[in-house]
């Protein structure tokens, strides 16, 4: 099945292995070097995806190559005519400083304030902006890499670290999981095969926050089979990272905004870890099927949370997600509330909602409720084993599903809008416990259901009692700041500005600009803050906020 977001021709010529040799140039904000692509099969032509790359030379082809016109979403195809018998090509190239898959940070944007920082974010279709390759989740390859960086900085890749600057990935991975980071980084072991990398000022805090990660891996293995990737480490990125987390194999990338000090936001690590099965092992064949990655992962995440922190915590967390889904679906077109979407002609970054995540998870939960946990787990184990290291479509999922659950009809979930009749209710009695014992999730629920009519005076009272404006918990702070904008609560204005200038996580930043943009005065304020904040945002966040304030 063809991927609408790639020019690649894997049926004719397929990349099986990459060998990267790159130098990191912080002054020019460029990666420079070469990639060797091993092919099997190797046909008459090889078509690769690129975006804003400068291609300097292609060896292994005597008949030449051409770079096609740039499509705003897809980039440019690189067509290489292969000489008969040639099974590998070497491409010498450089990236552009505007590469959408890279963010180059100044020392001021880091925790240490001393050294620059570089990181990649390849999902969904940004790997092509830093490596010419077949940028589709339908193609997997192994790779090796040498990354030359300034001596005081540590290069890391989502791969086995063979030597300081050398990496190897023996398991075949799709391009969206290709990942690189370079910065002043320190490591702390968490367990025999788990650890955390972070900038020196954050590394101790991170190690405390993630102290349960080894146990999470063990719990996940008990649920759905052995962890097949060797090590599991977490890399804490600077606060401009546009996502909460990214499941890069062996090395989850994470926002520092989950370092709350009390482990209250570590479900994000459970989520990215769960992708080691749902996503990295069994991968959506294209981005229309992303629910196969994210829906399975949210369900699995909640099972890990239940195993480590108990059912109460996992139910609280899932119920907050379900509330957020219901809220978001109110504003979506019915066709965008189906699990299987049609993203042809659209940027997959823009099509991303909570639907594949939470509706997907609820579908698995519905199967659990109807047929029992044992039957669902048996299916999931079989599904992960059968499709390990492959890419699957919804149809292939359905084939396997119907062998385990003959006659069970999923079409209302997959193709119907909204939540089907009989969808599970995840209920939690949020307000039953005394307030001084409340956890982050209870506070979040309370703030989210607070009446929109809260005045500045009411906000002041709540702030005096509970200190929300100065909360060190980014989830609580973001929710509070949104309410502060709505209520015109002036004492939160400074925090709002510093939060928006420092944090680039799209999930936080987007709703705050949207709330500001609801009034003319707010829009002015938003534009003034954004002028300061924009240069520090990742291209993905810039694109999102540009859209809000246009
Ligand atoms: N794989 C996603 C992030 C992603 C999805 C990046 C699509 C680009 C395109 C990651 O696993 C994820 O879902 N992150 C969430 C956190 C999670 C706990 C819901 C995020 O970043 O908010
Ligand atoms: Zn995910």
């Amino acid at each position: 099945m063809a991927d609408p977001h790639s020019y690649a021709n894997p049926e004719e010529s397929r990349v099986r292995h990459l060998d990267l040799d790159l130098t990191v140039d912080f002054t020019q904000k460029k990666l420079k070097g070469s990639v060797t692509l091993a092919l099997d099969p190797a046909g008459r032509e090889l078509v690769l995806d690129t975006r804003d790359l400068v291609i300097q030379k292609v060896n292994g082809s005597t008949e030449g190559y051409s770079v096609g016109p740039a499509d705003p979403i897809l980039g440019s195809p690189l067509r290489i005519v292969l000489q008969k018998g040639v099974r590998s090509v070497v491409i010498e190239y450089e990236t552009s400083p505007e590469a959408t898959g890279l963010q180059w940070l100044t020392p001021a944007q880091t925790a240490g304030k001393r050294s620059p920082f570089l990181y990649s974010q390849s999902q969904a279709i940004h790997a092509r902006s830093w490596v010419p390759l077949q940028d589709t989740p339908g193609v997997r390859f192994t790779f090796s890499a040498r990354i030359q960086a300034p001596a005081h900085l540590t290069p890391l890749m989502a791969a086995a670290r063979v030597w300081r600057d050398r990496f190897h990935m023996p398991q075949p991975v799709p391009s969206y999981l290709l990942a690189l980071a370079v910065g002043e980084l320190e490591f702390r072991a968490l367990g025999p095969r788990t650890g955390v990398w972070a900038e020196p000022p954050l590394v101790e805090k991170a190690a405390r926050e993630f102290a349960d990660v080894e146990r999470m891996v063990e719990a996940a293995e008990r649920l759905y089979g052995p962890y097949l990737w060797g090590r599991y480490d977490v890399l804490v990125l600077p606060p401009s990272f546009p996502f909460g987390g990214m499941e890069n194999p062996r090395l989850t990338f994470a926002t520092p905004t989950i370092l709350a000090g009390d482990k209250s936001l570590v479900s994000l690590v459970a989520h990215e870890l769960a992708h080691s099965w749902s996503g990295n092992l069994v991968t959506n064949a294209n981005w229309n099927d992303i629910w196969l990655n994210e829906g399975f992962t949210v369900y699995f995440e909640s099972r890990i949370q239940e195993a480590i922190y108990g059912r109460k915590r996992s139910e609280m967390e899932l119920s907050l997600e379900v509330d957020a889904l219901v809220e978001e679906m109110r504003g979506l077109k019915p066709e965008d509330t189906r699990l299987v979407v049609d993203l042809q002609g659209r940027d997959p970054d823009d099509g991303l909602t909570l639907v594949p995540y939470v509706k997907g998870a609820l579908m698995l939960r519905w199967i659990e409720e109807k047929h029992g946990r044992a039957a669902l787990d048996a299916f999931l184990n079989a599904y992960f084993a059968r499709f390990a290291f492959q890419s699957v479509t919804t149809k292939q999922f359905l084939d396997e599903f119907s062998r385990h659950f003959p006659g069970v009809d999923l079409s209302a979930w997959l193709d119907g809008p909204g939540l089907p009749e009989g969808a599970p209710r995840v209920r939690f009695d949020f307000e039953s416990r005394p307030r001084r014992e409340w956890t982050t999730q209870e506070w979040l629920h309370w703030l989210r259901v607070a009446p929109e009519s809260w005045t500045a005076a009411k906000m002041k009272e709540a702030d005096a009692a509970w200190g929300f404006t100065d909360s060190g918990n980014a989830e609580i702070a973001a929710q509070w700041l949104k309410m502060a904008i709505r209520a015109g609560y002036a004492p939160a204005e400074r925090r709002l500005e510093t939060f928006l200038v420092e944090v680039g996580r799209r999930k936080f930043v987007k709703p705050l600009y949207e709330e500001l943009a609801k009034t003319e005065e707010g829009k002015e304020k938003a534009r003034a803050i954004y002028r300061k904040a924009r240069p520090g945002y990742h291209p993905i966040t810039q694109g999102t906020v540009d859209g809000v304030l246009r």
Side-chain angles (χ1 to χ4, degrees):
M1 210 183 114
D3 176 352
H5 294 108
S6 171
Y7 290 110
N9 64 337
E11 298 310 317
E12 182 182 357
S13 301
R14 182 178 287 252
V15 172
R16 300 284 178 176
H17 181 82
L18 301 185
D19 199 351
L20 276 170
D21 189 351
L22 295 173
T23 299
V24 183
D25 184 337
F26 277 102
T27 11
Q28 291 187 42
K29 300 188 179 176
K30 284 178 179 175
L31 299 176
K32 302 174 174 175
S34 68
V35 62
T36 304
L37 305 171
L39 310 171
D40 183 21
R44 167 108 191 102
E45 192 183 49
L46 168 68
V47 186
L48 303 175
D49 294 293
T50 72
R51 194 201 327 268
D52 299 333
L53 294 180
V54 180
I55 307 293
Q56 288 146 336
K57 203 165 164 192
V58 178
N59 297 324
S61 158
T62 48
E63 297 180 53
Y65 66 90
S66 65
V67 178
D71 176 272
I73 296 171
L74 303 181
S76 305
L78 168 57
R79 299 175 194 281
I80 301 170
V81 180
L82 299 172
Q83 215 182 333
K84 208 171 162 56
V86 163
R87 302 181 66 83
S88 73
V89 293
V90 187
I91 303 170
E92 289 173 26
Y93 73 99
E94 303 186 344
T95 60
S96 110
E98 286 77 42
T100 56
L102 299 175
Q103 193 181 13
W104 298 86
L105 301 176
T106 62
Q109 289 175 275
T110 65
K113 311 284 175 210
R114 281 198 307 200
S115 307
F117 201 107
L118 163 70
Y119 70 88
S120 70
Q121 167 57 41
S122 297
Q123 196 184 7
I125 54 170
H126 300 289
R128 65 190 66 178
S129 76
W130 63 284
V131 184
L133 42 56
Q134 294 185 313
D135 199 6
T136 165
V139 170
R140 283 174 183 267
F141 49 82
T142 54
F143 66 89
S144 51
R146 178 171 69 147
I147 305 294
Q148 288 182 274
H152 64 296
L153 303 183
T154 304
L156 292 179
M157 286 194 86
R161 201 164 174 239
V162 182
W163 184 241
R164 240 196 85 75
D165 59 352
R166 278 169 205 268
F167 304 89
H168 180 57
M169 175 51 96
Q171 293 92 347
V173 291
S175 56
Y176 78 93
L177 296 175
L178 204 59
L180 166 71
V182 182
E184 218 182 305
L185 290 166
E186 224 173 281
F187 177 76
R188 289 283 182 280
L190 299 168
R193 58 175 159 176
T194 51
V196 59
W197 289 91
E199 287 191 72
L202 289 182
V203 76
E204 290 302 338
K205 185 174 189 194
R208 283 195 300 274
E209 204 81 36
F210 301 148
D212 300 327
V213 165
E214 181 78 29
R215 287 173 53 226
M216 286 181 170
V217 181
E218 289 164 4
E221 288 188 307
R222 277 194 296 276
L223 286 166
Y224 301 126
Y227 178 76
L228 295 175
W229 302 90
R231 295 196 53 85
Y232 180 74
D233 296 326
V234 180
L235 167 63
V236 179
L237 290 167
S240 66
F241 184 53
F243 294 104
M246 178 63 213
E247 66 271 26
N248 297 316
R250 294 174 192 239
L251 185 66
T252 280
F253 282 21
T255 171
T257 60
I258 55 169
L259 303 180
D262 59 3
K263 302 182 180 172
S264 60
L265 304 178
V266 293
S267 65
L268 182 128
V269 176
H271 177 97
E272 306 312 335
L273 169 65
H275 273 304
S276 307
W277 288 259
S278 44
N280 301 5
L281 203 54
V282 181
T283 310
N284 50 218
N286 65 64
W287 300 113
N288 293 334
D289 288 325
I290 194 171
W291 80 274
L292 290 169
N293 276 14
E294 298 300 346
F296 277 62
T297 296
V298 170
Y299 177 79
F300 191 172
E301 165 196 345
S302 121
R303 294 289 301 275
I304 296 171
Q305 288 296 96
E306 179 181 327
I308 304 293
Y309 300 109
R311 175 88 174 172
K312 207 160 92 185
R313 165 94 169 251
S314 60
E315 289 296 282
M316 271 198 287
E317 289 173 337
L318 194 58
S319 106
L320 286 173
E321 292 300 313
V322 174
D323 291 348
L325 169 73
V326 170
E327 173 71 25
E328 183 176 26
M329 282 199 305
R330 282 199 206 123
L332 294 177
K333 291 191 234 117
E335 63 266 31
D336 289 337
T337 66
R338 301 168 10 157
L339 274 183
V340 182
V341 285
D342 182 8
L343 296 174
Q344 169 124 38
R346 282 209 259 171
D347 186 334
D349 286 344
D350 301 337
L352 201 63
T353 69
L354 285 174
V355 172
Y357 285 80
V358 185
K359 184 177 176 182
L362 282 177
M363 186 183 94
L364 294 179
R365 172 120 168 173
W366 177 73
I367 298 160
E368 178 191 328
E369 287 183 2
K370 282 185 77 120
H371 303 276
R373 195 171 254 202
L376 176 61
D377 283 352
F379 161 68
L380 289 173
N381 271 285
Y383 170 81
F384 290 136
R386 160 136 187 229
F387 295 114
F389 298 109
Q390 295 179 40
S391 303
V392 297
T393 58
T394 296
K395 189 175 169 315
Q396 285 170 297
F397 153 77
L398 278 173
D399 288 347
E400 182 69 19
F401 180 78
S402 59
R403 302 210 311 190
H404 287 255
F405 299 99
V408 176
D409 183 7
L410 298 180
S411 56
W413 285 96
L414 298 172
D415 307 318
L419 289 178
E421 191 120 356
R425 285 171 201 274
V426 185
R427 263 192 241 227
F428 187 81
D429 186 8
F430 271 103
E431 313 226 342
S432 60
R433 301 193 317 128
R435 234 176 245 184
R436 67 198 140 66
E437 289 172 23
W438 275 8
T439 60
T440 298
Q441 285 70 32
E442 287 158 308
W443 282 115
L444 275 175
H445 180 264
W446 184 69
L447 291 173
R448 284 182 194 166
V449 301
E452 297 214 353
S453 57
W454 269 26
T455 58
K458 175 80 193 159
M459 297 283 291
K460 189 171 173 202
E461 197 186 298
D463 208 7
W466 308 106
F468 294 119
T469 299
D470 297 321
S471 174
N473 184 304
E475 290 281 350
I476 290 179
Q479 174 62 31
W480 176 254
L481 290 171
K482 198 169 112 182
M483 297 163 69
I485 297 166
R486 200 188 290 146
Y489 177 58
E493 275 180 19
R494 274 244 314 274
R495 177 89 206 265
L496 175 67
E497 175 163 340
T498 50
F499 189 91
L500 285 175
V501 171
E502 193 188 88
V503 176
R505 184 175 172 188
R506 201 165 61 157
K507 170 186 168 188
F508 293 149
V509 158
K510 184 180 180 217
L512 291 172
Y513 283 108
E514 281 172 344
E515 194 62 44
L516 282 167
K518 283 182 182 168
T519 66
E520 272 317 306
E521 194 199 335
K523 218 173 205 168
E524 293 269 300
K525 222 177 266 172
R527 292 218 166 93
I529 296 174
Y530 190 41
R531 266 194 294 280
K532 276 190 234 173
R534 192 178 189 281
Y537 286 169
H538 186 282
I540 290 178
T541 304
Q542 289 179 346
T544 301
V545 181
D546 288 352
V548 174
L549 296 181
R550 198 187 329 268

